[in-house]
Amino acid sequence: MTMWSRFDPRRLLNHPVQRDGADPTAMPGSPTIELHLDELIALRDRRAGFGRNRPADGFRFGDLSSRRRGSGLELDNIGPYQWGDDIRHMDWFATARIGRPQVKQFRHDVQQSIILVIDLRPSMMFGSSRQLMAKTACLAAARIAWSTSKNHQPLGLLLITNEDTVDVVPPRRGRRARLQCLARIVDAYARAVDDAEKPSPTLTDRLDALPSCMSGDVEAVIISDFSTLGDGIDQRLRESGARGEQSAVVIEDILMTAPPPPGLYPLRSSEDGGLATVAIRRREANLYIEEANRQRRAITARLRDLGMRQILIADAQAIEEGYFR
């Protein structure tokens, strides 16, 4: 039995923990592992939003005013009148104040495309009780896909797996296109589960294709636990952020919000694959919560510095109850 003087939650978060010592990836028939297309389609009729009391209309994915000026409802600036400007947009109060003709300038309204960047690397193949984080990422992607379907926004995919090439689906409109995207997610997830024992590549290496996908008015929604980032992740995200909007959905395991109660737990070692018993005391469980909150704040702050338009957090319970934090 291994006794830690100071409980390190990061080590526990990165390895499967089960009371009975069972490895969830060794149970192919377990609902915590398998992902079916029906599960993703069933999320279509469920309400979801930001926080427990916010409805599905609160989703901000796809809400975008173009960087170009043109016809629209969002006021961008008030400037001097030029030949060809619409006289109906004349700001008479500003004209009287300045003494020269002034017109209102608006942002051009566009229909934004959504690209779901789903992280299915082996580092996402961790689950403590309900399901793997990779499955949570797929369910979160399906919820976002259905929430943006009411505006008929084009939907595309960039599936990050352990394979050498990434699976890219160009944005398309329509219910059939969304169903095809969900089917591609299920297929990619099944392949990712088979490669769960392989070393996990860095997220930087798998985002090479993202900037080329962001042509026009596009928002990339990166769904990942943002672990094993690798060198150059800041430059990669800034490069893609210069081409369009970016948002992030940070996937967490349920352990981040509901730590295990005090007791004895088997822990699989990352070095030799052996099992050891870890004793968690009440004081160490409290330290676990503090460390989990610190990690969450650190990830959120870094993504915000990289220009993410919005940062959401989701785990298995949040997706099941229909909200993002």
Side-chain angles (χ1 to χ4, degrees):
M1 182 179 69
T2 301
M3 180 71 69
W4 294 345
S5 59
R6 179 175 176 84
F7 179 58
D8 185 2
R10 289 172 296 180
R11 186 174 180 183
L12 184 59
L13 284 174
N14 293 330
H15 302 283
V17 176
Q18 299 286 329
R19 272 194 177 274
D20 55 2
D23 184 359
T25 58
M27 299 179 292
S30 172
T32 62
I33 303 298
E34 290 186 345
L35 177 66
H36 302 283
L37 183 59
D38 294 342
E39 296 180 67
L40 304 184
I41 297 177
L43 297 177
R44 180 183 182 184
D45 298 327
R46 296 184 182 179
R47 298 179 63 83
F50 301 107
R52 296 178 180 270
N53 298 324
R54 299 195 182 182
D57 294 340
F59 271 103
R60 293 177 57 213
F61 292 114
D63 298 341
L64 176 70
S65 294
S66 173
R67 301 177 183 180
R68 305 189 307 271
R69 290 179 178 173
S71 60
L73 298 178
E74 183 176 349
L75 180 65
D76 176 63
N77 194 14
I78 297 177
Y81 173 83
Q82 297 179 359
W83 178 260
D85 288 343
D86 194 341
I87 192 66
R88 293 174 297 178
H89 296 161
M90 187 73 70
D91 191 328
W92 298 109
F93 292 100
T95 299
R97 183 174 61 255
I98 298 176
R100 294 186 302 273
Q102 302 290 312
V103 295
K104 297 178 181 178
Q105 300 169 346
F106 298 90
R107 285 290 183 181
H108 180 56
D109 292 336
V110 296
Q111 188 177 44
Q112 186 186 31
S113 300
I114 302 294
I115 295 181
L116 299 178
V117 183
I118 308 175
D119 186 1
L120 298 176
R121 296 174 299 158
S123 60
M124 294 285 289
M125 298 300 166
F126 165 72
S128 59
S129 58
R130 297 196 178 188
Q131 60 196 27
L132 298 179
M133 290 195 300
K135 182 175 180 179
T136 303
C138 295
L139 295 175
R143 189 174 291 283
I144 296 171
W146 289 123
S147 69
T148 57
S149 64
K150 60 182 179 181
N151 295 330
H152 306 286
Q153 293 170 302
L155 180 70
L157 293 177
L158 195 154
L159 300 171
I160 301 176
T161 61
N162 205 34
E163 301 173 353
D164 296 333
T165 58
V166 296
D167 193 358
V168 179
V169 179
R172 292 185 300 168
R173 294 184 178 89
R175 183 175 180 273
R176 175 177 296 182
R178 273 175 167 71
L179 291 175
Q180 292 175 350
C181 287
L182 297 182
R184 295 284 287 269
I185 292 175
V186 173
D187 294 339
Y189 174 82
R191 298 195 308 269
V193 171
D194 294 337
D195 296 337
E197 298 298 329
K198 298 182 179 179
S200 181
T202 63
L203 186 61
T204 305
D205 297 336
R206 292 296 185 261
L207 290 179
D208 292 339
L210 181 58
S212 60
C213 298
M214 301 183 65
S215 58
D217 295 303
V218 178
E219 179 177 4
V221 183
I222 304 177
I223 307 174
S224 172
D225 65 340
F226 293 93
S227 66
T228 320
L229 297 177
D231 299 332
I233 185 64
D234 295 1
Q235 179 181 357
R236 186 77 65 198
L237 291 180
R238 287 194 175 98
E239 180 183 354
S240 57
R243 295 171 173 262
E245 299 287 344
Q246 291 185 133
S247 296
V249 178
V250 182
I251 300 298
E252 295 181 349
D253 186 73
I254 195 66
L255 283 174
M256 293 287 285
T257 54
L264 299 178
Y265 293 86
L267 176 67
R268 186 176 297 279
S269 173
S270 59
E271 289 79 12
D272 55 6
L275 286 176
T277 302
V278 177
I280 300 179
R281 295 170 296 200
R282 187 178 304 277
R283 176 178 176 274
E284 294 165 340
N286 295 332
L287 293 175
Y288 177 94
I289 298 178
E290 296 177 1
E291 178 64 20
N293 292 331
R294 187 195 65 81
Q295 291 187 34
R296 184 183 297 113
R297 290 193 299 267
I299 293 176
T300 303
R302 185 174 184 183
L303 294 177
R304 187 177 293 111
D305 292 340
L306 293 175
M308 293 291 174
R309 191 169 69 95
Q310 60 181 340
I311 303 171
L312 305 179
I313 300 176
D315 54 24
Q317 181 179 358
I319 296 300
E320 180 179 346
E321 297 181 3
Y323 67 92
F324 289 87
R325 297 194 302 274

